[in-house]
Amino acid sequence: MKTYQNILFILVGLLLFACKPEPQQISYGQTNCGHCNMTVSDSRYGAELVNSKGKAFFFDSAECLAAYLNDNPKQEQEAAFVLVTDFTKPNTLVDAKQAAFLQSEQLPSPMGMFLTAFADAQTATQFQQKHTGRLLSWKEAMLAVQKNEKPL
């Protein structure tokens, strides 16, 4: 009887571990955006949402991720991960809430909002000095997408 309990305990542990939500690698050129359905193709702008059940949704840009979350606020509340790509490190996802965003007409993004994500504010500020534009937090970026605000 104790052997069955041990086996059951191990199986339950394996199932729990297997269901742990984790970010997934974006398959550029092979997956479609969860918001606009276009092919996710630019590895400098990809974004990802992983829900609490571990299902990943991919986006071709931070603005598509923001638009999706603006339309589905419950998804953000229940998300395990909300990630954007660091522009300076293609294929590298960072926490959207910790990222800094530059909205500059000199840096066109896939969906025309000119929104570029950086892992930190210092790098975003350096790009702002070179390309002009305005710096935004994730919440400000989501609001800009909601209001369809383009660079000034």
Side-chain angles (χ1 to χ4, degrees):
M1 182 70 174
K2 188 154 181 123
T3 302
Y4 291 119
Q5 288 177 335
N6 288 341
I7 291 172
L8 182 62
F9 179 76
I10 291 170
L11 287 175
V12 169
L14 287 172
L15 285 173
L16 289 175
F17 182 74
C19 295
K20 183 180 173 187
E22 293 289 335
Q24 297 178 21
Q25 187 73 28
I26 299 173
S27 297
Y28 290 97
Q30 299 176 1
T31 191
N32 291 345
C33 177
H35 179 68
C36 71
N37 207 30
M38 291 178 62
T39 301
V40 181
S41 59
D42 191 333
S43 62
R44 301 171 302 167
Y45 286 98
E48 180 176 337
L49 166 75
V50 181
N51 70 16
S52 60
K53 295 177 182 173
K55 180 172 175 55
F57 300 87
F58 303 105
F59 301 90
D60 57 1
S61 63
E63 58 250 42
C64 268
L65 171 60
Y68 178 82
L69 293 175
N70 282 331
D71 292 344
N72 303 285
K74 190 174 179 183
Q75 290 286 336
E76 184 172 27
Q77 295 167 357
E78 297 177 355
F81 297 96
V82 179
L83 306 164
V84 293
T85 300
D86 180 355
F87 182 76
T88 63
K89 297 177 184 168
N91 296 310
T92 302
L93 294 167
V94 298
D95 184 348
K97 294 175 185 168
Q98 303 301 316
F101 296 85
L102 176 62
Q103 191 175 38
S104 170
E105 62 185 357
Q106 295 181 21
L107 292 172
S109 58
M111 296 311 293
M113 289 291 297
F114 301 90
L115 196 60
T116 303
F118 298 91
D120 60 80
Q122 182 180 7
T123 305
T125 300
Q126 290 170 349
F127 270 76
Q128 181 191 34
Q129 291 169 351
K130 183 175 179 181
H131 299 284
T132 69
R134 66 179 180 158
L135 296 174
L136 304 168
S137 68
W138 175 239
K139 286 190 176 224
E140 292 167 332
M142 285 189 59
L143 189 58
V145 169
Q146 187 178 44
K147 293 180 175 180
N148 196 26
E149 295 175 349
K150 305 267 170 92
L152 301 174

